[in-house]
Amino acid sequence: MNCEVCQLKELEVEHFEIREVLRCILHTIVFHRALGLVRPKVIDLELFDITYVQCGDGELEKKIDEKIEQFISWVEKHPNKKSQVCISFYEVKNKHPSWFTNKTERLYWEQWYINLNVSQQQKVHSGKSHPSKIVVDPGGNSLEERSARRAALETSLREVLFQIIKFVNEKKDHVPPISDGVVYFPYEVTIPRWILSLIHEI
């Protein structure tokens, strides 16, 4: 089966920005691959002047947040490394049953790689508390430098969102037939094996 791969533009983020950036990108991808009826929910980012749409599914939001927290934990243990999150869509096929097994297999038809370069210039709270729009940088960067960096990230994040929209509009032939009553294609969010040996799946 043809598996289309989309490598999204690398983003330079600081630790406290990871959560919002990943939520925005992951929910945008899932929304554009949703089937059937969803209840669109418009979200305004706190850190950036960007609005995106979620599917309005509480269980989906919870699963994505769990993956983001796992990724943040990995980043805290491996500072100053480029990081990658992958969201894969697949079909489930039953393998031919044998005496001892009746297994299913996953046939991946689309993968998205979200590339982050996390800056560790500062120590920021875990992010569970409310992140403020301005974070004091003990490294001494001027407010102008921080504002310029934030503006550059906002521009890059917008480019990633347009990259997602362009991809889903241009790449359609590989999408499998839609089953009746299914709202979402099966998917998983992983941190690739070369970064993390334990792969967590949704």
Side-chain angles (χ1 to χ4, degrees):
M1 175 179 248
N2 181 26
C3 181
E4 290 283 352
V5 175
C6 184
Q7 287 279 356
L8 296 172
K9 175 181 176 174
E10 183 177 278
L11 298 174
E12 302 269 343
V13 299
E14 291 188 40
H15 189 280
F16 71 97
E17 296 164 328
I18 295 172
R19 193 172 281 105
E20 270 212 331
V21 166
L22 281 181
R23 271 189 193 138
C24 177
I25 295 171
L26 287 168
H27 279 290
T28 299
I29 292 168
V30 172
F31 178 78
H32 283 284
R33 283 299 181 224
L35 313 165
L37 293 172
V38 293
R39 300 176 303 281
K41 180 174 159 188
V42 176
I43 304 292
D44 294 317
L45 293 184
E46 288 182 29
L47 299 175
F48 309 99
D49 186 20
I50 291 177
T51 300
Y52 69 98
V53 181
Q54 294 183 356
C55 291
D57 181 328
E59 191 61 32
L60 175 68
E61 289 174 38
K62 184 180 167 198
K63 287 179 178 179
I64 286 178
D65 279 347
E66 284 171 4
K67 290 296 157 191
I68 292 171
E69 293 309 317
Q70 288 172 5
F71 177 75
I72 289 171
S73 295
W74 182 86
V75 167
E76 287 170 351
K77 291 176 187 142
H78 304 85
N80 299 316
K81 287 196 177 176
K82 291 192 177 186
S83 312
Q84 195 175 62
V85 175
C86 176
I87 179 165
S88 305
F89 294 92
Y90 60 88
E91 280 188 287
V92 177
K93 295 284 187 188
N94 289 320
K95 283 186 170 179
H96 296 298
S98 64
W99 284 99
F100 302 108
T101 62
N102 188 11
K103 289 188 175 178
T104 59
E105 67 175 327
R106 293 178 177 184
L107 299 176
Y108 293 92
W109 53 270
E110 189 171 272
Q111 292 183 313
W112 300 78
Y113 288 94
I114 303 163
N115 300 292
L116 300 180
N117 190 4
V118 183
S119 164
Q120 298 293 329
Q121 296 172 347
Q122 60 185 5
K123 187 70 180 166
V124 180
H125 320 296
S126 71
K128 294 276 185 191
S129 60
H130 54 281
S132 62
K133 293 200 179 204
I134 298 201
V135 177
V136 177
D137 182 3
N141 281 351
S142 71
L143 190 57
E144 293 81 11
E145 286 173 336
R146 292 191 60 75
S147 296
R149 192 205 65 78
R150 178 69 59 80
L153 176 55
E154 186 173 304
T155 299
S156 294
L157 182 53
R158 275 204 187 92
E159 288 171 5
V160 165
L161 296 179
F162 283 119
Q163 190 181 352
I164 292 167
I165 292 165
K166 185 172 187 277
F167 185 91
V168 296
N169 285 330
E170 290 179 356
K171 305 280 187 178
K172 298 176 181 175
D173 293 343
H174 66 291
V175 179
I178 297 168
S179 303
D180 287 341
V182 176
V183 179
Y184 303 106
F185 284 114
Y187 67 93
E188 67 186 11
V189 177
T190 58
I191 300 169
R193 214 175 295 274
W194 59 272
I195 290 177
L196 184 63
S197 57
L198 293 173
I199 288 191
H200 303 284
E201 293 181 358
I202 284 184

